[in-house]
Amino acid sequence: MKTRNVHWLSQALPVLGCFGGGSLYGWSGLMPAVQSRFDIGSASASMVFSFALVSFTFGVLIGPALFSKFPAHAQLPIISGIAAASLILSAQAQQFEFFVLTYSVGFGFSAGALYNHALAIAAASRRPKLLVPTSVASFGLGGVVFGPMSIWLTGLGWSLSALRPVLGCMVFIVAVSSVTETANGTQTTNPKTQTGFVKPDRMIFVLWAIFATGSCAGLIVLGLAPKLLPSNAPGAGMAGLAVFGVAAGNTLGRLSAAGIAARFGPMHGFVGAVLLSMAALCALLTPISSELFVNLLMFLVALSYGQIAAQTPLLVSARVATSAFSGAFGWVFTGWGVAGLLGPWGAGWLLDRTGDMRLALLVCIGFLFLSLLLTMQLPPTRAAAGPD
């Protein structure tokens, strides 16, 4: 019974870490508190989210190498401890630059490291087909919960103290994981899939560009959801619904990706998601008075983004050798980081300059169309091209 409990905790705590780290996807719920505290515009506030996504990317890419220097049982407490410390400093920040450093860089990086750590634990577990998608979905679920919660707490006057629920999640992980032994047979890396440096070729660059252009629209909607509502000053309830809707759409898209890929193939799933997102964005360009209908359209964009994010690893794995997947996807994943840096930040800048989101939406449609064109440049799968 003791061993069973150890296994359960060692696998559940990283999933909980994904849940807390996924609060990044609820950024638009915290955005009003940040703008009020530091008296900044939409462009500067969006920059926080953009920098956090870039830091998250670095956490995913170099986190394993950095934290592998520590014993396996100490890695989760250390990573979640850094996340907790970053949130404490962020909640107390009096200067905007310090908040960017602690939240975007500190928490963003540790959230990426937590995400990678959880996926590694899940992949090496006895039930990877269950735990890997659970970890991915848990990250999306964090935005569903913490985004609307931030709107609600900000309305109660909490300001940046709205970060406390996420902080409580991280402190709990630190406390429990510090006294929990690592389950036997659970490891952070799989020796059979370790590989050296993968030199990016034309195919990897095309996949990188597809992911960057395809994910930009979803990241913008996730980061600035309340700004798309027809009212210039939407109430806390409607803004909370917008944040909840896009986070829920993102999570549902990720959860349904495996079933759609199995039935139609990842390429058809990816193209279908891009077309759905383009249709929803075109509808958002038209004058709409119903806030509920706008929320529905944003939900569809986020749903499509969740599909794109989940189908992309399948597009990569179908075109590279198994031993090269980790390195190849590492390169492709940086496209998400570039989209996260330039997308929300650029959309916020355009919002400040034009007063609405229509020009940003037009740019998103253009990027999605480019993503469709790039999919035509993909080489056939390994199965069609021949064995490794």
Side-chain angles (χ1 to χ4, degrees), residues 138-165:
S138 179
F139 187 80
L141 187 61
V144 175
V145 173
F146 291 114
M149 187 181 295
S150 295
I151 291 279
W152 177 62
L153 293 176
T154 299
L156 294 177
W158 279 46
S159 186
L160 293 185
S161 294
L163 290 168
R164 287 181 181 177

Side-chain angles (χ1 to χ4, degrees), residues 276-351:
L276 176 61
S277 185
M278 291 177 67
L281 289 170
C282 287
L284 282 170
L285 286 172
T286 63
I288 302 174
S289 59
S290 171
E291 292 180 333
L292 286 176
F293 187 55
V294 172
N295 273 316
L296 174 61
L297 293 173
M298 288 192 292
F299 171 85
L300 293 177
V301 175
L303 176 74
S304 302
Y305 165 72
Q307 280 285 328
I308 289 168
Q311 299 291 359
T312 299
L314 299 177
L315 293 179
V316 176
S317 63
R319 288 166 175 81
V320 301
T322 302
S323 59
F325 171 77
S326 180
F329 185 65
W331 282 110
V332 173
F333 192 80
T334 62
W336 181 89
V338 171
L341 172 63
L342 300 180
W345 191 1
W349 182 84
L350 289 174
L351 174 61

Side-chain angles (χ1 to χ4, degrees), residues 121-251:
I121 293 294
S125 70
R126 296 174 179 176
R127 293 185 291 177
K129 292 183 179 179
L130 172 64
L131 288 176
V132 169
T134 298
S135 299
V136 173
S138 179
F139 187 80
L141 187 61
V144 175
V145 173
F146 291 114
M149 187 181 295
S150 295
I151 291 279
W152 177 62
L153 293 176
T154 299
L156 294 177
W158 279 46
S159 186
L160 293 185
S161 294
L163 290 168
R164 287 181 181 177
V166 187
L167 172 61
C169 177
M170 294 301 167
V171 170
F172 177 81
I173 296 171
V174 173
V176 178
S177 62
S178 297
V179 296
T180 301
E181 298 178 5
T182 303
N184 295 329
T186 302
Q187 49 192 14
T188 57
T189 57
N190 187 344
K192 295 181 180 180
T193 61
Q194 285 182 343
T195 183
F197 177 78
V198 174
K199 184 178 180 180
D201 55 14
R202 178 182 177 278
M203 180 190 64
I204 290 178
F205 177 75
V206 172
L207 286 164
W208 178 95
I210 288 172
F211 197 17
T213 53
S215 60
C216 190
L219 291 172
I220 288 174
V221 170
L222 282 165
L224 290 91
K227 304 294 184 181
L228 287 161
L229 294 173
S231 173
N232 291 328
M238 191 57 64
L241 179 62
V243 175
F244 172 83
V246 296
N250 173 40
T251 304

